[in-house]
Amino acid sequence: MSNSRIAAVDVGNDSIKAIFGEVEYELNIPNIIARDIEDRPVIGIEELDSKNPLDGIHVRVHSPALKENNVIYRVGNLATKSNNTTELDPGSSKSEEDQTLVMLFTTLAMDAVRAENAQIFRKNGNIIDAFYTLGTGLPLREVKEGKDAGYRSRLLGNVHQVEFLVTPKYQGIKVNLKFDEVKVYPEGFAAYINLVMDNNLNIINKDLIDKRIIIQDIGGLSTDIAVIKNRNVDDDKAQGFNLGVSESLEQIREEIRKKHGVELDSRRDVVEILTKKHDRNHIMVKGSRTSVHDITDRILLDLAKKQYRLLRNTWQKNSQTEICYFVGGGSNVLKDYLKTLNNSLDGYNIDFFEDEKESIWMMANAYYKLITDFNRKQNKANVKPVEVKTGDVKKPANVK
């Protein structure tokens, strides 16, 4: 019997962040797919296995959970080089999109196929049987609508297969994925766990434990706002909004194309322009370094105003709040604009994570803490009691 391996996976709009095992392996794959043919052309096929597998993920994905089954995809970095790339659209439900599952399965398969895991998973010829205990999440809005139950049930009880086609080192290998358990956490709530607890769910930030806190998690497609009071998440006041950074990134990408004639491959390229340490908000146009500040400032300031309005409305209804933490990849993009707005307007006590990785990986880290704690309890290990609610969300009466 194969062992079950811990996996914490944040299917973010920009990229997938995943943590495996005893935190010994991490993966970050751009959330981009493109349909492809089985025998994709490769220059220098003889040197294929000398290349990085992450730059050449080419797979066929089979799963009863998919609407379109047995489809061949380029995934991640390889997909950005295609003309028919697909990214999650604003207004879509993460739990109902094939792309979410394709990215999730491919990410797990990229871990399962590693030589380091040969002792964990059973391999018969070119087929690997991989068992996972998965911690992942969905936007608060989808959890409140009850979509987490359907998402979880599609993962459990089925075998999901990823077949590596023209992929460096893994060509011809099939990975059968099975889940021993799947826990789906609300994204905004998970951030609180990561703020105050370590990997063993011991409290590490005592200053925050008894404070009234707002956590505004800005993602690509949505924004989750969690209100923390008396060490509990207030289910009634927690909200999810269809407002993320994706639409603004697409707008920036389109305006750069129109004004400068420069085609950016994906939203991820836009994020890189906005957040890079040197020459931020600059692109190369015919070999010349060119500022796009006029485009980015106008579009992002408009989005920051909408996000600030959400904060203001939430704070007015929770007047004794002591601090708001902005988290998620979107907050990293909007940080300077939100700070400027706050300084000139209400002057709320707000904070950001200056460490870019900490902010971007917050959800994956939280899922890891929660799923490992669940796993320890399942194995009847000695675990200290946890004083924080982590996943119970009140749903409308008509949602089963």
Side-chain angles (χ1 to χ4, degrees):
M1 180 67 186
S2 294
N3 296 317
S4 185
R5 181 160 162 84
I6 289 285
V9 184
D10 172 22
V11 185
N13 177 66
D14 175 60
S15 68
I16 310 304
K17 281 78 64 177
I19 304 170
F20 296 97
E22 300 294 323
V23 203
E24 83 274 3
Y25 187 58
E26 294 179 351
L27 270 176
N28 190 340
I29 301 173
N31 190 352
I32 305 170
I33 61 175
R35 290 198 175 212
D36 203 12
I37 57 174
E38 184 164 355
D39 296 318
R40 72 176 179 92
V42 177
I43 298 173
I45 188 70
E46 304 81 16
E47 283 97 41
L48 180 68
D49 286 346
S50 65
K51 297 176 181 177
N52 186 346
L54 286 173
D55 292 330
I57 303 174
H58 183 237
V59 293
R60 176 188 282 114
V61 185
H62 170 82
S63 168
L66 294 170
K67 296 170 190 169
E68 297 186 75
N69 210 348
N70 283 319
V71 177
I72 296 169
Y73 297 101
R74 296 181 177 213
V75 176
N77 294 330
L78 185 65
T80 63
K81 300 171 185 175
S82 300
N83 295 322
N84 59 332
T85 58
T86 304
E87 299 178 77
L88 292 175
D89 294 322
S92 63
S93 291
K94 189 185 288 188
S95 59
E96 297 174 345
E97 294 290 333
D98 271 5
Q99 180 159 343
T100 303
L101 295 175
V102 169
M103 292 302 306
L104 173 65
F105 298 150
T106 301
T107 301
L108 294 172
M110 287 296 291
D111 171 68
V113 78
R114 296 167 62 237
E116 290 87 341
N117 292 330
Q119 300 304 312
I120 301 176
F121 300 131
R122 183 178 59 209
K123 187 174 183 181
N124 184 8
N126 67 333
I127 300 175
I128 297 171
D129 289 316
F131 291 80
Y132 283 95
T133 298
L134 174 68
T136 188
L138 289 174
L140 178 60
R141 171 183 58 84
E142 295 185 48
V143 175
K144 280 198 156 188
E145 291 170 359
K147 292 179 179 177
D148 56 324
Y151 184 64
R152 179 175 180 270
S153 67
R154 289 201 301 277
L155 295 176
L156 282 170
N158 288 314
V159 178
H160 318 277
Q161 186 182 83
V162 176
E163 178 185 359
F164 289 99
L165 300 175
V166 190
T167 302
K169 298 180 183 175
Y170 305 142
Q171 189 168 4
I173 298 177
K174 297 178 181 179
V175 178
N176 290 331
L177 298 165
K178 301 173 187 177
F179 296 101
D180 287 326
E181 183 55 270
V182 175
K183 303 295 282 184
V184 182
Y185 304 104
E187 291 176 350
F189 295 165
Y192 180 59
I193 297 300
N194 202 56
L195 277 171
V196 299
M197 295 179 175
D198 64 13
N199 282 347
N200 297 314
L201 292 194
N202 296 313
I203 293 169
I204 55 172
N205 200 334
K206 293 182 179 178
D207 291 341
L208 286 181
I209 274 295
D210 291 315
K211 283 189 175 182
R212 296 192 180 192
I213 304 168
I214 292 172
I215 297 174
Q216 190 155 332
D217 176 19
I218 306 174
L221 302 177
S222 63
T223 295
D224 283 354
I225 300 183
V227 178
I228 315 295
K229 181 182 177 184
N230 299 328
R231 305 190 184 194
N232 290 320
V233 178
D234 190 325
D235 296 339
D236 293 320
K237 293 183 177 180
Q239 299 177 82
F241 302 91
N242 283 327
L243 179 67
V245 297
S246 292
E247 219 162 337
S248 297
L249 296 178
E250 284 293 351
Q251 196 177 344
I252 290 170
R253 187 174 161 196
E254 179 62 17
E255 291 204 18
I256 286 175
R257 185 188 67 79
K258 284 181 179 176
K259 183 173 180 178
H260 300 288
V262 173
E263 288 277 3
L264 299 173
D265 289 333
S266 66
R267 297 172 198 153
R268 192 177 179 86
D269 289 341
V270 181
V271 172
E272 189 176 329
I273 290 165
L274 297 171
T275 58
K276 59 186 178 181
K277 289 183 171 61
H278 304 292
D279 294 336
R280 185 172 294 184
N281 292 304
H282 284 76
I283 61 172
M284 298 303 293
V285 179
K286 298 177 181 178
S288 298
R289 181 174 164 274
T290 304
S291 172
V292 290
H293 256 295
D294 57 329
I295 296 173
T296 59
D297 283 349
R298 173 172 46 81
I299 294 172
L300 293 181
L301 181 59
D302 182 58
L303 176 59
K305 287 177 180 177
K306 293 175 183 175
Q307 289 288 347
Y308 195 78
R309 200 172 300 129
L310 295 181
L311 171 65
R312 178 184 280 159
N313 291 340
T314 304
W315 207 302
Q316 284 175 348
K317 295 172 185 173
N318 301 276
S319 62
Q320 297 308 296
T321 296
E322 296 176 63
I323 189 169
C324 172
Y325 280 95
F326 283 95
V327 303
S331 67
N332 192 49
V333 170
L334 295 175
K335 178 169 62 177
D336 292 340
Y337 302 96
L338 287 167
K339 284 181 177 179
T340 299
L341 283 171
N342 190 51
N343 289 338
S344 62
L345 296 172
D346 301 272
Y348 293 119
N349 184 18
I350 65 174
D351 204 357
F352 296 80
F353 288 88
E354 300 303 326
D355 183 331
E356 182 180 334
K357 182 179 179 183
E358 186 177 4
S359 181
I360 292 172
W361 281 79
M362 177 167 279
M363 290 299 110
N365 286 331
Y367 302 151
Y368 183 83
K369 293 173 184 181
L370 291 166
I371 196 63
T372 51
D373 180 63
F374 167 81
N375 199 49
R376 277 194 297 267
K377 288 176 178 176
Q378 288 294 99
N379 294 328
K380 297 180 180 177
N382 247 340
V383 181
K384 294 181 180 179
V386 180
E387 298 183 76
V388 182
K389 292 194 302 181
T390 59
D392 294 328
V393 183
K394 291 181 182 176
K395 300 174 184 176
N398 62 338
V399 175
K400 300 294 184 186

